[in-house]
Amino acid sequence: MDAVLEANEVVDSRMKQKKARILCKLDIEKVYDHVNREYLLNVLEKMRFGLKWIKFCTSSVKFSTLINVMEGLNNMLKTTNTNGWLRGFDVASNGKESLEVTHLQYADDTLIFCGAKEEQLK
């Protein structure tokens, strides 16, 4: 419920500013059935799991790995914002300071907020 309220506040704030906007909703249904093994190994290694442990756990006939696969998307969106490729919605602006929201994630859903500019969509 909190995520819905947060998303509503972000959209409401942008509408009050009367600026062009884009909201993209991604529903990552059944993402766990389609995880690329190479990508999974790379993520586990970046999370500082030992390479021997990773190979042992993933080379057996039967294994299961519990990992937040949304973390990769979250990091990609943060990088696009840091590099200036994606600008989110300014929320709670008081003239001096504002909070920029580029995305919200919960469960298998992601909301991406950006300005209505072609270069941000690319």
Side-chain angles (χ1 to χ4, degrees):
M1 184 62 142
D2 287 342
V4 173
L5 294 174
E6 288 174 23
N8 186 57
E9 288 297 319
V10 171
V11 171
D12 197 41
S13 176
R14 187 63 170 212
M15 290 179 74
K16 287 177 183 174
Q17 296 171 11
K18 299 186 186 215
K19 292 182 179 178
R21 63 221 170 252
I22 294 176
L23 168 62
C24 178
K25 181 186 181 294
L26 306 175
D27 186 0
I28 318 288
E29 187 176 338
K30 296 189 179 186
V31 70
Y32 303 103
D33 295 339
H34 305 286
V35 174
N36 179 298
R37 179 182 165 89
E38 215 172 285
Y39 175 77
L40 177 62
L41 295 176
N42 189 25
V43 168
L44 289 171
E45 192 172 359
K46 285 184 179 184
M47 293 175 76
R48 296 192 174 121
F49 284 93
L51 192 57
K52 286 182 181 179
W53 182 87
I54 294 169
K55 287 184 178 180
F56 173 77
C57 289
T58 59
S59 63
S60 64
V61 176
K62 183 179 177 182
F63 71 91
S64 60
T65 306
L66 179 58
I67 182 172
N68 183 355
V69 296
M70 297 298 279
E71 189 66 26
L73 178 59
N74 181 49
N75 289 333
M76 286 172 40
L77 290 168
K78 284 182 180 180
T79 300
T80 61
N81 182 253
T82 300
N83 290 333
W85 303 327
L86 179 71
R87 287 284 156 240
F89 288 10
D90 288 328
V91 179
S93 179
N94 63 8
K96 294 180 182 178
E97 296 180 20
S98 65
L99 172 67
E100 182 181 17
V101 178
T102 55
H103 63 286
L104 294 174
Q105 292 182 300
Y106 46 92
D108 63 350
D109 293 321
T110 299
L111 295 174
I112 301 174
F113 305 96
C114 66
K117 295 185 178 182
E118 184 177 347
E119 60 269 12
Q120 289 191 37
L121 293 175
K122 289 179 181 180

